[in-house]
Amino acid sequence: MAEARGCSRMALTKHTMSTDVESRRRRSTESSEPLWDHDPKGRRCSSQCDRLCVAGAYLEIPDTPSTCTSQYCGHYTPKCLSAHRHSLHSRCTDDVWQEASIRTTVRAENEFEAHKLANNYKFGFRKWKSHVTERPIEDRSDVVKELYSELNYIKHHSGSLITAGNVIYVLLFGWWISIFYFLVSLLMFCTIAGIPYGKLCLQLSGYFLWPFGKALQKSSSLLRKCCVKFPHCEAIPEEVDEVKESSEVKESKPLLRCAPTEISVTTPPPKPARYWCRMSTYVWLVLGYPLLAVVHFLAIFLSWMMVFTIPVSKMNFRTLRIILLMPPEEVKVWTVKKPQGCETRVLLCCYRAFNWYYYKYTVDGINVFAVNLLPLVIFTLVIGYVDRDNYYVSSEAKFAMALSSIIPLSYYIGMGIASISAQSNFAVGAVVNATFGSITEMAFYITALLQGHRAGNKCYAEIVKSALTGTLLGCILFIPGICMIIGGCKHSEQRFNSRSAGVSSALLFISVGGVFAPTLFSKAYGNFICEGCNNSLSNTTKPFICNNCHYDLSENNRPLFLSHIEPLVYTISVLLPAAYLIGLIFTLKTHSHIYDLHISDAHCHVISDHGAVVHWSRARALLVLILATVLMAACADLSTEHIKPIISNSSVSQYFIGVTILAMVPELPEIVNGIQFALQNNISLSLEVGSCIAVQVCMLQIPLLIFFNAFYDVGFVLIFSDLHLWASIFSVILVNYIFMDGKSDYFQGTALVVVYLILLALYFFAPAPLGC
């Protein structure tokens, strides 16, 4: 009877604990929300009426601080009082719903991340997706934990080991690594003294041919036998009140309640002779190890550069650093069977050679692609400035390498800006974004103008204008369009803050109108001339045939240019930065509430920087910015120096080269950031990525080029061709029409991308500009 009561009590306790654990797991799952919260259906408010009546309560109810006590709450949300709910609910309309749905809740782990996320929503700040602080690996998902695994644990693996990635490993790496190990084993057998290492190499030859599902382990280790499965264990949940208990009490409580289980432990083998007192060790280090080191270094380099095969790189590095320097009799290869409950520590164990998620892999906060492209920058600069006569590498190849080197440098500049802005106040962040935010494009534009001035070729100035227009078109058509398409494929409909987007659209109208005002002025008052017209005198009925007709703007009509157009250009160059400054003040100071930004952690607690470790300190970020800027200028100089054969011998229009390659390649990191924001259902930032760059092009970069031309005349005149003029105006009108409703889907994105491709077709078939 007592035994029955004991069993029932144990069953009740087990049921209670399992229910508690399940509820905890459910609460944990519910709390693990996406980082960006834009969906109006997902608002964490008290009721639907609260959500609908937020905007309507602005005028009737005084602002009341919300329940969130975070010191980084950017907006206090007024609540609907219960006495007014029914009356206010009756007046809620679609406009009120849209007004209430623009609230953006952003969650950050610490103060620095909160600053970075807040800066993403500020006008004039470059948008940055990656983290600026280190994230504890314990808080990451299982997928990310696997990326940073050292391949020294036997883990539970489900599924077949014969995968496409593992087969590719055998074809790319396994067979030749295995052959080299076999040859080295023969060499060790020939030395007699190195026979133990010959046996080890023979085992590793078979291992590296197919290492999946196998493990390398020390024969003297007891860890393999000490890990025992406990089939009847129950996890005891830890209550909140237990945190207050003393450490002695907590240590006395078992974490697992288990049934008795027998543990068998084998006796370790006798210790071998000392490692450095054997002749075989020195034979191995002189003859065998250097050869295999070359093989493993080659495999490490190739697999690391391929990114998705980084597990192969880790496997080779761990073998080279640990396994090959151990006594040979201590290394054993054995096939992994089903793991017994817990993870077992071994020397090396790998299940997959290929993982698509390695595009997320970072080294000290730097994306692996940016790390892998850094040697390209060094190689480009060395070969570009050493091989002046193009003896080893052609000009076309140097141009391609120099342009590709701009991509990682743009990434480093962007991360440096985000790091400094996250650790500084608003003023410092605004200055850093305004100065270094456009340094990539400005380095190329200025070096191209200087190169054209030295060569006496006006084609360089036209290419710079084409690159400016291409950046403008790409940022207001292609970047929002591709983000809408990719985000719309994952989320059927995405919403964004139409008021904040309206501010960017208004500034786009102002900037485009100001930039192209001199062009319109010259067309209204300039002389329309042609290079040559002919007509047969005997037949007066036929029309005149004229060649190369254009508006005379500067050379042959200097009074118009000096007295009217040039003062207009300088006036606009002062007004556009002033409008940019007013936009900063409007969106960041006087009317910052239009963003309705709320930043807190996952539990609405106070965010602090306690324990947060930034990847780059302010001093390091500033040093990286300066070095990246210098390298950027050097790469831009090489690209403009070797662009002449391309623009001279190319079969396509120079317009097309400027609006595509020269305009969009430096913006690839921004395009990637926008796509990542869209995938996280944060289409607002995806749209702001392009708008921010477009506004900076018109309001900062073009005025800077004009002032540079005023101090050092390089022949840059702010007068664009008709194709640039009408393409830019049409694009701005279309984007403003798309942004009006505050919603986006893949159809709207497709419309923007199709219009962009149509404009590219116009540039592709357009004749060469004047001077080219």
Side-chain angles (χ1 to χ4, degrees):
M1 194 70 177
E3 186 177 6
R5 283 197 301 268
C7 292
S8 62
R9 188 180 301 109
M10 289 180 61
L12 179 61
T13 304
K14 179 177 179 181
H15 175 72
T16 305
M17 288 190 300
S18 61
T19 305
D20 193 6
V21 171
E22 182 64 26
S23 63
R24 288 173 180 271
R25 185 181 300 111
R26 184 163 54 249
R27 288 198 301 268
S28 175
T29 304
E30 292 174 356
S31 63
S32 58
E33 301 162 352
L35 184 62
W36 311 102
D37 188 5
H38 293 275
D39 191 0
K41 297 180 182 180
R43 302 289 171 211
R44 269 61 179 174
C45 299
S46 57
S47 67
Q48 184 179 5
C49 179
D50 290 335
R51 296 196 299 267
L52 293 175
C53 299
V54 166
Y58 284 161
L59 301 178
E60 300 186 20
I61 302 175
D63 288 353
T64 304
S66 64
T67 56
C68 179
T69 58
S70 171
Q71 60 181 347
Y72 291 97
C73 293
H75 180 75
Y76 290 110
T77 305
K79 295 182 176 180
C80 294
L81 298 179
S82 57
H84 297 82
R85 282 187 175 178
H86 297 288
S87 61
L88 291 177
H89 180 73
S90 62
R91 284 176 287 176
C92 291
T93 61
D94 293 339
D95 295 335
V96 174
W97 166 260
Q98 182 177 359
E99 192 72 21
S101 66
I102 64 175
R103 186 179 184 211
T104 304
T105 301
V106 183
R107 296 175 179 86
E109 295 89 351
N110 51 68
E111 180 184 1
F112 302 118
E113 292 297 333
H115 278 228
K116 188 211 71 174
L117 296 176
N119 291 337
N120 282 342
Y121 286 88
K122 292 178 181 177
F123 169 77
F125 283 69
R126 301 297 284 264
K127 320 306 174 188
W128 191 252
K129 173 66 176 63
S130 303
H131 281 68
V132 296
T133 58
E134 296 181 3
R135 303 175 65 187
I137 192 64
E138 297 80 9
D139 300 338
R140 312 292 291 273
S141 63
D142 293 337
V143 175
V144 178
K145 289 180 181 178
E146 184 179 355
L147 300 182
Y148 295 92
S149 172
E150 294 296 331
L151 305 181
N152 57 347
Y153 281 96
I154 298 177
K155 301 179 181 180
H156 176 71
H157 178 76
S158 59
S160 175
L161 295 175
I162 304 176
T163 61
N166 293 350
V167 174
I168 292 175
Y169 162 81
V170 176
L171 299 177
L172 295 181
F173 301 98
W175 67 272
W176 56 272
I177 296 178
S178 177
I179 289 176
F180 272 104
Y181 265 99
F182 181 76
L183 296 178
V184 172
S185 69
L186 295 180
L187 178 63
M188 290 293 102
F189 281 121
C190 293
T191 61
I192 306 299
I195 289 179
Y197 286 97
K199 296 179 180 179
L200 173 63
C201 291
L202 202 58
Q203 290 183 5
L204 294 180
S205 175
Y207 174 81
F208 278 101
L209 181 63
W210 184 265
F212 314 107
K214 302 177 183 178
L216 298 180
Q217 187 176 14
K218 292 182 64 174
S219 59
S220 60
S221 176
L222 297 179
L223 291 177
R224 179 167 58 92
K225 293 295 183 180
C226 292
C227 183
V228 180
K229 181 179 180 181
F230 296 92
H232 304 291
C233 297
E234 289 293 338
I236 302 177
E238 185 178 357
E239 300 295 337
V240 178
D241 296 337
E242 292 177 359
V243 178
K244 302 180 181 179
E245 296 181 3
S246 61
S247 57
E248 293 80 11
V249 176
K250 291 181 67 175
E251 291 177 357
S252 65
K253 290 187 176 182
L255 295 179
L256 295 173
R257 181 183 291 119
C258 306
T261 306
E262 296 182 359
I263 301 177
S264 59
V265 180
T266 59
T267 305
K271 294 184 179 181
R274 298 181 61 181
Y275 180 72
W276 296 106
C277 297
R278 296 182 295 184
M279 179 62 69
S280 60
T281 301
Y282 297 96
V283 173
W284 166 252
L285 294 179
V286 172
L287 297 179
Y289 185 81
L291 297 177
L292 293 178
V294 175
V295 174
H296 282 296
F297 273 125
L298 180 60
I300 289 170
F301 175 77
L302 294 177
S303 58
W304 181 271
M305 297 304 294
M306 294 172 65
V307 175
F308 302 107
T309 56
I310 287 182
V312 180
S313 179
K314 291 182 178 181
M315 183 171 58
N316 283 269
F317 179 75
R318 191 168 182 84
T319 301
L320 184 63
R321 185 174 63 92
I322 298 177
I323 296 174
L324 296 184
L325 296 178
M326 293 176 56
E329 63 274 2
E330 290 192 5
V331 180
K332 299 298 180 183
V333 181
W334 58 285
T335 303
V336 177
K337 298 181 181 180
K338 186 176 180 181
Q340 302 181 1
C342 60
E343 297 180 351
T344 306
R345 188 181 181 92
V346 293
L347 294 175
L348 182 62
C349 182
C350 182
Y351 293 100
R352 292 195 300 174
F354 195 90
N355 192 341
W356 285 108
Y357 288 97
Y358 266 99
Y359 73 90
K360 298 181 178 181
Y361 194 78
T362 60
V363 179
D364 196 17
I366 308 171
N367 187 268
V368 62
F369 288 102
V371 175
N372 289 351
L373 288 176
L374 193 57
L376 176 64
V377 179
I378 308 301
F379 177 77
T380 300
L381 295 178
V382 172
I383 200 68
Y385 286 104
V386 172
D387 185 25
R388 286 287 188 177
D389 299 328
N390 303 326
Y391 183 77
Y392 299 102
V393 182
S394 63
S395 292
E396 292 80 1
K398 290 181 181 178
F399 172 77
M401 290 190 299
L403 203 62
S404 301
S405 300
I406 293 178
I407 300 175
L409 294 176
S410 301
Y411 177 89
Y412 286 106
I413 290 175
M415 185 168 181
I417 292 173
S419 299
I420 294 178
S421 301
Q423 303 174 65
S424 308
N425 55 25
F426 158 73
V428 175
V431 171
V432 171
N433 277 269
T435 53
F436 289 96
S438 302
I439 199 67
T440 303
E441 297 85 354
M442 291 300 300
F444 173 78
Y445 299 151
I446 292 177
T447 53
L449 292 175
L450 290 174
Q451 186 71 24
H453 178 69
R454 288 192 295 264
N457 192 346
K458 296 182 179 180
C459 187
Y460 286 87
E462 292 298 326
I463 289 179
V464 169
K465 295 177 186 178
S466 299
L468 287 168
T469 307
T471 304
L472 183 63
L473 297 178
C475 290
I476 62 181
L477 289 178
F478 179 74
I479 294 181
I482 196 68
C483 293
M484 286 181 179
I485 292 175
I486 296 178
C489 292
K490 184 176 182 180
H491 312 279
S492 60
E493 184 179 87
Q494 295 178 294
R495 292 176 178 266
F496 56 90
N497 191 338
S498 58
R499 291 193 63 187
S500 61
V503 174
S504 300
S505 301
L507 287 174
L508 274 177
F509 262 118
I510 296 172
S511 58
V512 170
V515 167
F516 291 99
T519 305
L520 295 173
F521 185 87
S522 64
K523 294 185 180 301
Y525 296 100
N527 297 325
F528 188 76
I529 63 173
C530 298
E531 289 186 357
C533 298
N534 53 46
N535 186 23
S536 177
L537 298 177
S538 60
N539 189 358
T540 58
T541 59
K542 291 184 178 180
F544 283 92
I545 301 176
C546 301
N547 299 321
N548 198 8
C549 298
H550 60 278
Y551 286 94
D552 187 21
L553 305 176
S554 56
E555 289 82 359
N556 301 322
N557 198 354
R558 298 298 296 177
L560 175 65
F561 179 77
L562 295 176
S563 303
H564 301 281
I565 297 180
E566 192 173 43
L568 175 62
V569 169
Y570 291 144
T571 303
I572 291 173
S573 301
V574 174
L575 293 177
L576 288 179
Y580 183 82
L581 180 61
I582 293 173
L584 286 176
I585 297 174
F586 178 82
T587 56
L588 303 181
K589 290 297 182 181
T590 61
H591 289 69
S592 59
H593 60 274
I594 65 175
Y595 292 100
D596 201 6
L597 186 62
H598 176 92
I599 301 178
S600 65
D601 66 353
H603 304 286
C604 206
H605 294 160
V606 177
I607 303 176
S608 66
D609 58 350
H610 179 69
V613 179
V614 294
H615 290 300
W616 294 0
S617 63
R618 275 178 289 194
R620 180 182 178 185
L622 182 60
L623 179 61
V624 170
L625 278 178
I626 295 174
L627 291 178
T629 302
V630 174
L631 296 177
M632 178 74 69
C635 292
D637 180 65
L638 287 176
S639 62
T640 55
E641 180 181 351
H642 296 282
I643 197 178
K644 186 177 180 180
I646 296 177
I647 62 178
S648 300
N649 304 324
S650 177
S651 59
V652 299
S653 173
Q654 288 78 4
Y655 282 137
F656 183 79
I657 297 175
V659 299
T660 54
I661 300 176
L662 303 181
M664 297 308 296
V665 168
E667 307 301 336
L668 283 179
E670 303 295 337
I671 297 175
V672 173
N673 282 334
I675 292 175
Q676 289 180 331
F677 286 134
L679 289 175
Q680 288 189 341
N681 200 19
N682 192 4
I683 194 65
S684 296
L685 286 185
S686 298
L687 303 181
E688 288 294 332
V689 166
S691 299
C692 177
I693 301 175
V695 170
Q696 285 189 346
V697 167
C698 295
M699 293 190 166
L700 291 181
Q701 296 178 16
I702 291 180
L704 287 175
L705 290 177
I706 294 172
F707 289 133
F708 176 79
N709 185 80
F711 288 102
Y712 187 81
D713 189 4
V714 291
F716 180 76
V717 181
L718 193 63
I719 297 176
F720 293 83
S721 66
D722 292 350
L723 187 56
H724 295 331
L725 171 66
W726 302 119
S728 301
I729 293 177
F730 174 74
S731 300
V732 173
I733 294 175
L734 176 63
V735 166
N736 276 271
Y737 175 76
I738 295 291
F739 288 177
M740 282 194 306
D741 59 350
K743 303 175 184 178
S744 70
D745 48 50
Y746 72 90
F747 177 76
Q748 293 178 339
T750 304
L752 293 178
V753 173
V754 168
V755 170
Y756 178 73
L757 295 178
I758 292 174
L759 294 178
L760 290 188
L762 293 178
Y763 282 108
F764 182 84
F765 295 105
L770 293 176
C772 295

